[in-house]
Amino acid sequence: MFSRIARPTICIATRSLSTSSQNNAKVAVLGASGGIGQPLSLLLKNSPLVGELSLFDIAHTPGVAADLSHIETRAHVTGYMGPDQLDAALKGCDVVVIPAGVPRKPGMTRDDLFNTNATIVATLADAVARNCPEAMICIIANPVNSTIPITSEVMKKYGVYNPNRVFGVTTLDIVRASAFVAELKGLDPARVNVPVIGGHAGKTIIPLISQATPKVEFPADQLSALTARIQDAGTEVVKAKAGAGSATLSMAYAGARFTFSVLDAMNGKDGVVECAYVRSEETECKYFSTPLLLGKHGIEKNLGLGKLSAFEENLVADAIGELKGSIKKGEDFVANMK
């Protein structure tokens, strides 16, 4: 009666989390035992794009790997634990996703995480540079505005930096903006897309409501409130969890969406566009998030800021100073490393 043939098919039905193409990509998740890492690893295990899933963390990874390995999908799961196993976890990886680091607590900004997470990200980037220098690197660890410069500078030290392969994952901002706009307008959120540019903290998060599809319009006061909510959405979750963590489930979803887009593009799919925080010539900031056309070798084309409204131009101008400071902080950290 309950035969394997008759059982229902479990499908994550989203525009970016479902795909029918096959691939044997080896994907590493560094920080796989944490609040983001576990659900992210689950979503990756569910994808036919992933042939091997390599899970690393400083604790509990063998258990997470054993648990996931019982799911009847094709990805082969291996767990690695502790610094001595980091190199082994990264050998032959095509994509490395890094949610590692400590989460925010109430009253903390993403920048308050800098001292702890900067060291973690620098250590992991060092291992990537030595073991899989050509992998696509997707950084979730905050503060992204600084951890991407850190990753880039570490890769430069080994002479293996490729700006087309290093991404700060800002996808959660796009996911949130699209969800909030859909909610206000009574639209199907799966059919709404709102580009978000700039960075991934506070006022550096710049939603381009004027470029949303389908086209939407808001009165000035509602637009201002909506923009503020998108910028402060992470804090909204931190407060709601009351000390029990930050956005983990939505971040895992967004991280999986971005990873699948990278894999789809590597697989030859045309027209894959995602926003991400990358090395950029689009503004006076060295790093800036904009929509990117992805290809087999990472960024195929930076699609730029597009036409901005006057309101959005002011948001960009207000963000530049903070972004420059965060970038310099990351670069200085690596320059001063012993």
Side-chain angles (χ1 to χ4, degrees), residues 13-16 175 178-179 182 187-193 213-214 253 257:
T14 78
R15 63 189 151 197
S16 300
V175 166
S178 301
L187 299 169
D188 176 357
R191 297 185 181 279
V192 176
N193 183 56
T213 51
Y253 167 88
R257 168 178 151 169

Side-chain angles (χ1 to χ4, degrees), residues 30 98 100-102 114-126 141 333:
L30 308 184
I98 305 183
V102 296
F114 182 90
N115 290 336
T116 301
N117 287 359
T119 302
I120 293 170
V121 169
T123 301
L124 297 177
D126 184 280
F333 178 83

Side-chain angles (χ1 to χ4, degrees), residues 177 180-187 194 209-210 212 214-224 226-227 230:
F180 297 168
V181 166
E183 183 182 358
L184 288 171
K185 291 295 186 182
L187 299 169
V194 181
I209 308 296
S210 72
K215 186 170 177 56
V216 294
E217 291 184 355
F218 296 96
D221 58 341
Q222 195 176 18
L223 177 62
S224 182
L226 172 60
T227 299
I230 293 164

Side-chain angles (χ1 to χ4, degrees), residues 6 16-17 49 76 78 82 108 114 162 177 196 200 278 287 335 337:
S16 300
L17 292 189
L49 288 171
H76 179 263
T78 310
M108 292 177 74
F114 182 90
N162 183 341
V196 180
H200 183 59
V278 298
Y287 298 86
M337 276 171 54

Side-chain angles (χ1 to χ4, degrees), residues 143-159:
V144 166
N145 292 355
S146 298
T147 55
I148 285 298
I150 287 170
T151 302
S152 302
E153 293 303 310
V154 170
M155 301 297 281
K156 286 177 189 176
K157 283 191 170 186
Y158 284 91

Side-chain angles (χ1 to χ4, degrees), residues 46-110:
N46 199 53
S47 172
L49 288 171
V50 181
E52 286 186 70
L53 192 54
S54 180
L55 307 182
F56 172 83
D57 214 322
I58 56 172
H60 310 304
T61 340
V64 174
D67 197 355
L68 289 176
S69 72
H70 292 183
I71 296 171
E72 74 320 12
T73 53
R74 64 191 293 268
H76 179 263
V77 186
T78 310
Y80 300 88
M81 187 171 72
D84 294 346
Q85 295 186 12
L86 177 55
D87 287 0
L90 289 167
K91 294 291 185 192
C93 285
D94 302 297
V95 178
V96 179
V97 190
I98 305 183
V102 296
R104 282 201 290 161
K105 293 185 171 64
M108 292 177 74
T109 66
R110 288 181 179 89

